[in-house]
Amino acid sequence: MLDRLLNKSGATSVRSGDRNYGARHARPGRHASLSRIAEMIADDIALVRADTFADGDGGLAVVSALRDAPARLTYTVEAPAETGVLITVGAVPSAWATDADGFDSVALRALVAELTELMNAYNHDGADVARRFVGRVRIQTVA
């Protein structure tokens, strides 16, 4: 949770020359296998969904699209064939996922952005090094 708070303060990643390292890259993510990174991302998702920060009265309020998403959503994180990380968001209500014009809703875009941010915290890239893994977020809607 501290990483999430520091992330909001601008301490999102570490730059070394032309390389960019995610906020969690230096922790276990640096030498972990992609399947282990997928497990850590799943743990991060569970932590965000479980947090119960108080609003007002001196309490800390953290805005989170992941925490504010419908409780019935399911999250599966996997590393298929150790080639990348795939987060599947299942049981997404169609009415919540789209706006009146049929485009992705603001809430869904915010959720995908937050999940992508969680994934990229374990990644690295740069001019002289390729991304460690390709991350994807897949949405499965229900009627």
Side-chain angles (χ1 to χ4, degrees):
M1 192 51 63
L2 178 59
D3 287 329
R4 291 181 52 75
L5 293 172
L6 290 173
N7 191 14
K8 300 298 180 196
S9 71
T12 58
S13 61
V14 177
R15 295 191 70 68
S16 175
D18 290 337
R19 294 182 182 190
N20 184 27
Y21 296 94
R24 292 181 175 256
H25 183 269
R27 294 203 174 92
R30 175 180 231 157
H31 299 292
S33 67
L34 285 185
S35 58
R36 178 63 185 123
I37 288 174
E39 290 173 11
M40 289 187 282
I41 292 170
D43 291 344
D44 289 345
I45 290 171
L47 178 64
V48 171
R49 292 182 80 195
D51 80 26
T52 55
F53 286 121
D55 270 340
D57 297 332
L60 181 60
V62 177
V63 177
S64 170
L66 181 55
R67 187 189 67 220
D68 298 337
R72 71 182 240 184
L73 299 185
T74 60
Y75 300 89
T76 305
V77 185
E78 55 192 339
E82 293 288 327
T83 59
V85 175
L86 172 65
I87 299 176
T88 303
V89 184
V92 179
S94 296
W96 182 81
T98 58
D99 61 16
D101 297 326
F103 296 105
D104 291 345
S105 68
V106 173
L108 179 62
R109 284 183 273 147
L111 176 63
V112 170
E114 188 167 337
L115 291 171
T116 302
E117 182 181 317
L118 275 173
M119 238 185 317
N120 285 333
Y122 294 94
N123 215 343
H124 64 72
D125 68 351
D128 61 340
V129 64
R131 293 184 72 80
R132 177 163 183 206
F133 62 86
V134 175
R136 296 180 300 145
V137 178
R138 177 174 54 190
I139 306 296
Q140 295 178 330
T141 58
V142 294

mmCIF file of all heavy atoms in Angstrom, residues 1 4-5 8 44-55 60-73 75 96 107 110-111 114-115 118:
data_model
loop_
_atom_site.group_PDB
_atom_site.id
_atom_site.type_symbol
_atom_site.label_atom_id
_atom_site.label_comp_id
_atom_site.label_asym_id
_atom_site.label_seq_id
_atom_site.Cartn_x
_atom_site.Cartn_y
_atom_site.Cartn_z
ATOM 1 N N MET A 1 0.828 -1.176 0.000
ATOM 2 C CA MET A 1 0.000 0.000 0.000
ATOM 3 C C MET A 1 0.881 1.252 0.000
ATOM 4 O O MET A 1 0.519 2.239 -0.598
ATOM 5 C CB MET A 1 -0.928 -0.037 1.212
ATOM 6 C CG MET A 1 -2.020 0.984 1.160
ATOM 7 S SD MET A 1 -3.014 1.052 -0.349
ATOM 8 C CE MET A 1 -3.767 -0.521 -0.381
ATOM 9 N N ARG A 4 1.636 2.334 -3.434
ATOM 10 C CA ARG A 4 0.521 3.021 -4.080
ATOM 11 C C ARG A 4 0.479 4.476 -3.659
ATOM 12 O O ARG A 4 0.242 5.357 -4.466
ATOM 13 C CB ARG A 4 -0.789 2.322 -3.762
ATOM 14 C CG ARG A 4 -0.904 0.955 -4.414
ATOM 15 C CD ARG A 4 -2.211 0.275 -4.114
ATOM 16 N NE ARG A 4 -3.372 1.079 -4.381
ATOM 17 C CZ ARG A 4 -3.860 1.357 -5.588
ATOM 18 N NH1 ARG A 4 -3.253 0.901 -6.648
ATOM 19 N NH2 ARG A 4 -4.938 2.093 -5.730
ATOM 20 N N LEU A 5 0.712 4.760 -2.369
ATOM 21 C CA LEU A 5 0.712 6.137 -1.896
ATOM 22 C C LEU A 5 1.884 6.918 -2.467
ATOM 23 O O LEU A 5 1.744 8.065 -2.877
ATOM 24 C CB LEU A 5 0.732 6.169 -0.371
ATOM 25 C CG LEU A 5 -0.524 5.625 0.297
ATOM 26 C CD1 LEU A 5 -0.311 5.529 1.800
ATOM 27 C CD2 LEU A 5 -1.714 6.480 -0.024
ATOM 28 N N LYS A 8 1.235 7.932 -6.001
ATOM 29 C CA LYS A 8 0.387 9.109 -6.142
ATOM 30 C C LYS A 8 1.181 10.386 -5.924
ATOM 31 O O LYS A 8 0.817 11.438 -6.392
ATOM 32 C CB LYS A 8 -0.779 9.058 -5.156
ATOM 33 C CG LYS A 8 -1.679 7.874 -5.325
ATOM 34 C CD LYS A 8 -2.347 7.856 -6.664
ATOM 35 C CE LYS A 8 -3.234 6.638 -6.787
ATOM 36 N NZ LYS A 8 -3.630 6.337 -8.118
ATOM 37 N N ASP A 44 -1.534 -7.934 -5.180
ATOM 38 C CA ASP A 44 -1.764 -6.486 -5.165
ATOM 39 C C ASP A 44 -3.236 -6.172 -5.418
ATOM 40 O O ASP A 44 -3.812 -5.302 -4.761
ATOM 41 C CB ASP A 44 -0.909 -5.790 -6.224
ATOM 42 C CG ASP A 44 0.568 -5.774 -5.879
ATOM 43 O OD1 ASP A 44 0.917 -6.049 -4.712
ATOM 44 O OD2 ASP A 44 1.376 -5.480 -6.783
ATOM 45 N N ILE A 45 -3.841 -6.862 -6.378
ATOM 46 C CA ILE A 45 -5.257 -6.648 -6.684
ATOM 47 C C ILE A 45 -6.110 -6.990 -5.468
ATOM 48 O O ILE A 45 -7.013 -6.228 -5.093
ATOM 49 C CB ILE A 45 -5.677 -7.479 -7.914
ATOM 50 C CG1 ILE A 45 -5.019 -6.911 -9.176
ATOM 51 C CG2 ILE A 45 -7.203 -7.502 -8.069
ATOM 52 C CD1 ILE A 45 -5.183 -7.775 -10.409
ATOM 53 N N ALA A 46 -5.824 -8.114 -4.829
ATOM 54 C CA ALA A 46 -6.582 -8.511 -3.638
ATOM 55 C C ALA A 46 -6.430 -7.487 -2.519
ATOM 56 O O ALA A 46 -7.407 -7.168 -1.822
ATOM 57 C CB ALA A 46 -6.129 -9.888 -3.166
ATOM 58 N N LEU A 47 -5.242 -6.952 -2.341
ATOM 59 C CA LEU A 47 -5.010 -5.958 -1.303
ATOM 60 C C LEU A 47 -5.794 -4.685 -1.575
ATOM 61 O O LEU A 47 -6.429 -4.132 -0.681
ATOM 62 C CB LEU A 47 -3.520 -5.641 -1.193
ATOM 63 C CG LEU A 47 -3.130 -4.566 -0.180
ATOM 64 C CD1 LEU A 47 -3.466 -5.032 1.230
ATOM 65 C CD2 LEU A 47 -1.660 -4.234 -0.297
ATOM 66 N N VAL A 48 -5.772 -4.224 -2.813
ATOM 67 C CA VAL A 48 -6.498 -3.001 -3.150
ATOM 68 C C VAL A 48 -7.996 -3.198 -2.935
ATOM 69 O O VAL A 48 -8.673 -2.326 -2.401
ATOM 70 C CB VAL A 48 -6.218 -2.571 -4.605
ATOM 71 C CG1 VAL A 48 -7.133 -1.436 -5.023
ATOM 72 C CG2 VAL A 48 -4.773 -2.158 -4.763
ATOM 73 N N ARG A 49 -8.510 -4.348 -3.333
ATOM 74 C CA ARG A 49 -9.949 -4.604 -3.176
ATOM 75 C C ARG A 49 -10.343 -4.728 -1.713
ATOM 76 O O ARG A 49 -11.478 -4.448 -1.349
ATOM 77 C CB ARG A 49 -10.336 -5.871 -3.916
ATOM 78 C CG ARG A 49 -10.222 -5.705 -5.422
ATOM 79 C CD ARG A 49 -10.648 -6.922 -6.153
ATOM 80 N NE ARG A 49 -12.117 -6.948 -6.217
ATOM 81 C CZ ARG A 49 -12.803 -8.011 -6.543
ATOM 82 N NH1 ARG A 49 -12.202 -9.151 -6.799
ATOM 83 N NH2 ARG A 49 -14.119 -7.954 -6.598
ATOM 84 N N ALA A 50 -9.418 -5.133 -0.857
ATOM 85 C CA ALA A 50 -9.731 -5.354 0.557
ATOM 86 C C ALA A 50 -9.509 -4.124 1.423
ATOM 87 O O ALA A 50 -9.995 -4.082 2.546
ATOM 88 C CB ALA A 50 -8.889 -6.502 1.095
ATOM 89 N N ASP A 51 -8.783 -3.128 0.923
ATOM 90 C CA ASP A 51 -8.473 -1.989 1.796
ATOM 91 C C ASP A 51 -9.748 -1.250 2.190
ATOM 92 O O ASP A 51 -10.715 -1.200 1.457
ATOM 93 C CB ASP A 51 -7.430 -1.054 1.178
ATOM 94 C CG ASP A 51 -7.978 -0.094 0.139
ATOM 95 O OD1 ASP A 51 -9.157 0.239 0.185
ATOM 96 O OD2 ASP A 51 -7.193 0.333 -0.715
ATOM 97 N N THR A 52 -9.722 -0.714 3.403
ATOM 98 C CA THR A 52 -10.896 -0.027 3.939
ATOM 99 C C THR A 52 -10.467 1.280 4.583
ATOM 100 O O THR A 52 -10.654 1.487 5.780
ATOM 101 C CB THR A 52 -11.605 -0.906 4.976
ATOM 102 O OG1 THR A 52 -10.650 -1.276 5.978
ATOM 103 C CG2 THR A 52 -12.208 -2.142 4.354
ATOM 104 N N PHE A 53 -9.879 2.161 3.793
ATOM 105 C CA PHE A 53 -9.485 3.459 4.325
ATOM 106 C C PHE A 53 -10.718 4.293 4.629
ATOM 107 O O PHE A 53 -11.698 4.284 3.891
ATOM 108 C CB PHE A 53 -8.613 4.217 3.321
ATOM 109 C CG PHE A 53 -7.223 3.667 3.229
ATOM 110 C CD1 PHE A 53 -6.739 3.199 2.027
ATOM 111 C CD2 PHE A 53 -6.405 3.618 4.336
ATOM 112 C CE1 PHE A 53 -5.468 2.700 1.932
ATOM 113 C CE2 PHE A 53 -5.132 3.113 4.247
ATOM 114 C CZ PHE A 53 -4.660 2.658 3.042
ATOM 115 N N ALA A 54 -10.643 5.037 5.700
ATOM 116 C CA ALA A 54 -11.766 5.886 6.091
ATOM 117 C C ALA A 54 -11.734 7.209 5.324
ATOM 118 O O ALA A 54 -10.677 7.702 4.978
ATOM 119 C CB ALA A 54 -11.675 6.168 7.591
ATOM 120 N N ASP A 55 -12.897 7.755 5.083
ATOM 121 C CA ASP A 55 -13.017 9.082 4.468
ATOM 122 C C ASP A 55 -13.296 10.097 5.568
ATOM 123 O O ASP A 55 -14.077 9.853 6.469
ATOM 124 C CB ASP A 55 -14.183 9.126 3.475
ATOM 125 C CG ASP A 55 -13.758 8.749 2.070
ATOM 126 O OD1 ASP A 55 -12.557 8.837 1.796
ATOM 127 O OD2 ASP A 55 -14.631 8.387 1.275
ATOM 128 N N LEU A 60 -7.503 8.684 5.813
ATOM 129 C CA LEU A 60 -6.870 8.736 4.510
ATOM 130 C C LEU A 60 -7.840 8.192 3.465
ATOM 131 O O LEU A 60 -8.344 7.085 3.603
ATOM 132 C CB LEU A 60 -5.593 7.890 4.525
ATOM 133 C CG LEU A 60 -4.774 7.833 3.261
ATOM 134 C CD1 LEU A 60 -4.302 9.230 2.875
ATOM 135 C CD2 LEU A 60 -3.576 6.935 3.465
ATOM 136 N N ALA A 61 -8.109 8.981 2.435
ATOM 137 C CA ALA A 61 -9.001 8.542 1.364
ATOM 138 C C ALA A 61 -8.188 8.382 0.090
ATOM 139 O O ALA A 61 -7.558 9.316 -0.369
ATOM 140 C CB ALA A 61 -10.118 9.551 1.152
ATOM 141 N N VAL A 62 -8.169 7.189 -0.446
ATOM 142 C CA VAL A 62 -7.446 6.903 -1.670
ATOM 143 C C VAL A 62 -8.463 6.551 -2.744
ATOM 144 O O VAL A 62 -9.279 5.655 -2.553
ATOM 145 C CB VAL A 62 -6.452 5.733 -1.472
ATOM 146 C CG1 VAL A 62 -5.752 5.399 -2.770
ATOM 147 C CG2 VAL A 62 -5.450 6.071 -0.389
ATOM 148 N N VAL A 63 -8.419 7.275 -3.850
ATOM 149 C CA VAL A 63 -9.324 6.985 -4.951
ATOM 150 C C VAL A 63 -8.742 5.824 -5.741
ATOM 151 O O VAL A 63 -7.583 5.839 -6.134
ATOM 152 C CB VAL A 63 -9.491 8.230 -5.859
ATOM 153 C CG1 VAL A 63 -10.368 7.900 -7.046
ATOM 154 C CG2 VAL A 63 -10.060 9.384 -5.063
ATOM 155 N N SER A 64 -9.552 4.806 -5.953
ATOM 156 C CA SER A 64 -9.094 3.626 -6.659
ATOM 157 C C SER A 64 -10.219 3.086 -7.526
ATOM 158 O O SER A 64 -11.266 2.672 -7.003
ATOM 159 C CB SER A 64 -8.636 2.555 -5.666
ATOM 160 O OG SER A 64 -8.420 1.340 -6.334
ATOM 161 N N ALA A 65 -10.002 3.071 -8.832
ATOM 162 C CA ALA A 65 -10.995 2.500 -9.739
ATOM 163 C C ALA A 65 -11.163 1.013 -9.480
ATOM 164 O O ALA A 65 -12.261 0.468 -9.614
ATOM 165 C CB ALA A 65 -10.575 2.741 -11.186
ATOM 166 N N LEU A 66 -10.099 0.354 -9.059
ATOM 167 C CA LEU A 66 -10.147 -1.075 -8.766
ATOM 168 C C LEU A 66 -11.009 -1.349 -7.539
ATOM 169 O O LEU A 66 -11.859 -2.236 -7.540
ATOM 170 C CB LEU A 66 -8.726 -1.606 -8.570
ATOM 171 C CG LEU A 66 -8.532 -3.068 -8.278
ATOM 172 C CD1 LEU A 66 -9.182 -3.938 -9.338
ATOM 173 C CD2 LEU A 66 -7.044 -3.392 -8.193
ATOM 174 N N ARG A 67 -10.816 -0.566 -6.510
ATOM 175 C CA ARG A 67 -11.609 -0.744 -5.293
ATOM 176 C C ARG A 67 -13.067 -0.341 -5.511
ATOM 177 O O ARG A 67 -13.975 -0.953 -4.959
ATOM 178 C CB ARG A 67 -11.010 0.073 -4.148
ATOM 179 C CG ARG A 67 -11.698 -0.211 -2.816
ATOM 180 C CD ARG A 67 -11.266 0.732 -1.721
ATOM 181 N NE ARG A 67 -11.739 2.069 -2.061
ATOM 182 C CZ ARG A 67 -11.042 3.177 -1.873
ATOM 183 N NH1 ARG A 67 -9.857 3.128 -1.336
ATOM 184 N NH2 ARG A 67 -11.530 4.342 -2.202
ATOM 185 N N ASP A 68 -13.293 0.668 -6.349
ATOM 186 C CA ASP A 68 -14.638 1.178 -6.567
ATOM 187 C C ASP A 68 -15.411 0.414 -7.639
ATOM 188 O O ASP A 68 -16.592 0.674 -7.844
ATOM 189 C CB ASP A 68 -14.578 2.663 -6.939
ATOM 190 C CG ASP A 68 -13.976 3.507 -5.818
ATOM 191 O OD1 ASP A 68 -14.017 3.063 -4.653
ATOM 192 O OD2 ASP A 68 -13.470 4.602 -6.114
ATOM 193 N N ALA A 69 -14.775 -0.522 -8.315
ATOM 194 C CA ALA A 69 -15.447 -1.328 -9.341
ATOM 195 C C ALA A 69 -16.466 -2.250 -8.671
ATOM 196 O O ALA A 69 -16.359 -2.545 -7.477
ATOM 197 C CB ALA A 69 -14.421 -2.143 -10.125
ATOM 198 N N PRO A 70 -17.457 -2.723 -9.432
ATOM 199 C CA PRO A 70 -18.450 -3.633 -8.844
ATOM 200 C C PRO A 70 -17.787 -4.834 -8.167
ATOM 201 O O PRO A 70 -16.829 -5.402 -8.691
ATOM 202 C CB PRO A 70 -19.283 -4.074 -10.055
ATOM 203 C CG PRO A 70 -19.130 -2.962 -11.047
ATOM 204 C CD PRO A 70 -17.739 -2.445 -10.847
ATOM 205 N N ALA A 71 -18.305 -5.216 -7.027
ATOM 206 C CA ALA A 71 -17.723 -6.312 -6.244
ATOM 207 C C ALA A 71 -17.817 -7.648 -6.961
ATOM 208 O O ALA A 71 -17.026 -8.549 -6.690
ATOM 209 C CB ALA A 71 -18.406 -6.401 -4.885
ATOM 210 N N ARG A 72 -18.755 -7.805 -7.883
ATOM 211 C CA ARG A 72 -18.937 -9.097 -8.557
ATOM 212 C C ARG A 72 -17.885 -9.375 -9.628
ATOM 213 O O ARG A 72 -17.809 -10.481 -10.137
ATOM 214 C CB ARG A 72 -20.328 -9.197 -9.141
ATOM 215 C CG ARG A 72 -20.549 -8.297 -10.343
ATOM 216 C CD ARG A 72 -21.958 -8.390 -10.849
ATOM 217 N NE ARG A 72 -21.956 -8.849 -12.223
ATOM 218 C CZ ARG A 72 -23.033 -8.961 -12.954
ATOM 219 N NH1 ARG A 72 -24.203 -8.663 -12.439
ATOM 220 N NH2 ARG A 72 -22.952 -9.384 -14.186
ATOM 221 N N LEU A 73 -17.050 -8.388 -9.958
ATOM 222 C CA LEU A 73 -16.006 -8.606 -10.958
ATOM 223 C C LEU A 73 -15.009 -9.638 -10.441
ATOM 224 O O LEU A 73 -14.699 -9.684 -9.255
ATOM 225 C CB LEU A 73 -15.264 -7.313 -11.280
ATOM 226 C CG LEU A 73 -16.075 -6.160 -11.854
ATOM 227 C CD1 LEU A 73 -15.144 -5.012 -12.223
ATOM 228 C CD2 LEU A 73 -16.902 -6.570 -13.035
ATOM 229 N N TYR A 75 -11.062 -11.362 -11.068
ATOM 230 C CA TYR A 75 -9.750 -11.021 -11.618
ATOM 231 C C TYR A 75 -8.897 -12.283 -11.646
ATOM 232 O O TYR A 75 -8.727 -12.945 -10.621
ATOM 233 C CB TYR A 75 -9.064 -9.957 -10.758
ATOM 234 C CG TYR A 75 -9.863 -8.680 -10.669
ATOM 235 C CD1 TYR A 75 -10.825 -8.509 -9.679
ATOM 236 C CD2 TYR A 75 -9.674 -7.660 -11.587
ATOM 237 C CE1 TYR A 75 -11.570 -7.348 -9.601
ATOM 238 C CE2 TYR A 75 -10.415 -6.493 -11.508
ATOM 239 C CZ TYR A 75 -11.366 -6.345 -10.512
ATOM 240 O OH TYR A 75 -12.101 -5.192 -10.446
ATOM 241 N N TRP A 96 -22.261 -1.439 -17.092
ATOM 242 C CA TRP A 96 -21.202 -0.720 -16.388
ATOM 243 C C TRP A 96 -20.007 -0.465 -17.318
ATOM 244 O O TRP A 96 -19.314 0.539 -17.193
ATOM 245 C CB TRP A 96 -20.741 -1.533 -15.170
ATOM 246 C CG TRP A 96 -19.692 -0.863 -14.342
ATOM 247 C CD1 TRP A 96 -19.882 0.098 -13.407
ATOM 248 C CD2 TRP A 96 -18.279 -1.098 -14.400
ATOM 249 N NE1 TRP A 96 -18.675 0.473 -12.871
ATOM 250 C CE2 TRP A 96 -17.672 -0.251 -13.465
ATOM 251 C CE3 TRP A 96 -17.470 -1.954 -15.153
ATOM 252 C CZ2 TRP A 96 -16.302 -0.226 -13.257
ATOM 253 C CZ3 TRP A 96 -16.104 -1.922 -14.942
ATOM 254 C CH2 TRP A 96 -15.537 -1.069 -14.003
ATOM 255 N N ALA A 107 -15.431 4.577 -16.106
ATOM 256 C CA ALA A 107 -15.066 3.677 -15.001
ATOM 257 C C ALA A 107 -14.238 2.494 -15.511
ATOM 258 O O ALA A 107 -13.253 2.108 -14.887
ATOM 259 C CB ALA A 107 -16.320 3.188 -14.291
ATOM 260 N N ALA A 110 -10.737 3.685 -16.448
ATOM 261 C CA ALA A 110 -9.952 3.931 -15.229
ATOM 262 C C ALA A 110 -9.488 2.608 -14.610
ATOM 263 O O ALA A 110 -8.352 2.504 -14.132
ATOM 264 C CB ALA A 110 -10.772 4.731 -14.233
ATOM 265 N N LEU A 111 -10.358 1.597 -14.640
ATOM 266 C CA LEU A 111 -9.991 0.280 -14.113
ATOM 267 C C LEU A 111 -8.847 -0.331 -14.915
ATOM 268 O O LEU A 111 -7.860 -0.813 -14.347
ATOM 269 C CB LEU A 111 -11.205 -0.657 -14.118
ATOM 270 C CG LEU A 111 -10.946 -2.097 -13.688
ATOM 271 C CD1 LEU A 111 -10.486 -2.154 -12.237
ATOM 272 C CD2 LEU A 111 -12.186 -2.949 -13.902
ATOM 273 N N GLU A 114 -5.600 1.455 -14.110
ATOM 274 C CA GLU A 114 -5.040 1.088 -12.805
ATOM 275 C C GLU A 114 -4.413 -0.298 -12.840
ATOM 276 O O GLU A 114 -3.337 -0.525 -12.275
ATOM 277 C CB GLU A 114 -6.113 1.166 -11.726
ATOM 278 C CG GLU A 114 -5.547 0.991 -10.342
ATOM 279 C CD GLU A 114 -6.526 1.371 -9.246
ATOM 280 O OE1 GLU A 114 -7.463 2.148 -9.492
ATOM 281 O OE2 GLU A 114 -6.338 0.873 -8.128
ATOM 282 N N LEU A 115 -5.061 -1.243 -13.518
ATOM 283 C CA LEU A 115 -4.490 -2.585 -13.638
ATOM 284 C C LEU A 115 -3.198 -2.555 -14.456
ATOM 285 O O LEU A 115 -2.229 -3.242 -14.119
ATOM 286 C CB LEU A 115 -5.502 -3.534 -14.278
ATOM 287 C CG LEU A 115 -6.726 -3.871 -13.420
ATOM 288 C CD1 LEU A 115 -7.762 -4.633 -14.232
ATOM 289 C CD2 LEU A 115 -6.320 -4.641 -12.182
ATOM 290 N N LEU A 118 -0.471 -1.307 -12.196
ATOM 291 C CA LEU A 118 -0.011 -2.371 -11.299
ATOM 292 C C LEU A 118 0.958 -3.308 -12.012
ATOM 293 O O LEU A 118 1.993 -3.692 -11.471
ATOM 294 C CB LEU A 118 -1.198 -3.189 -10.788
ATOM 295 C CG LEU A 118 -1.933 -2.678 -9.574
ATOM 296 C CD1 LEU A 118 -3.167 -3.517 -9.310
ATOM 297 C CD2 LEU A 118 -1.045 -2.660 -8.364
#
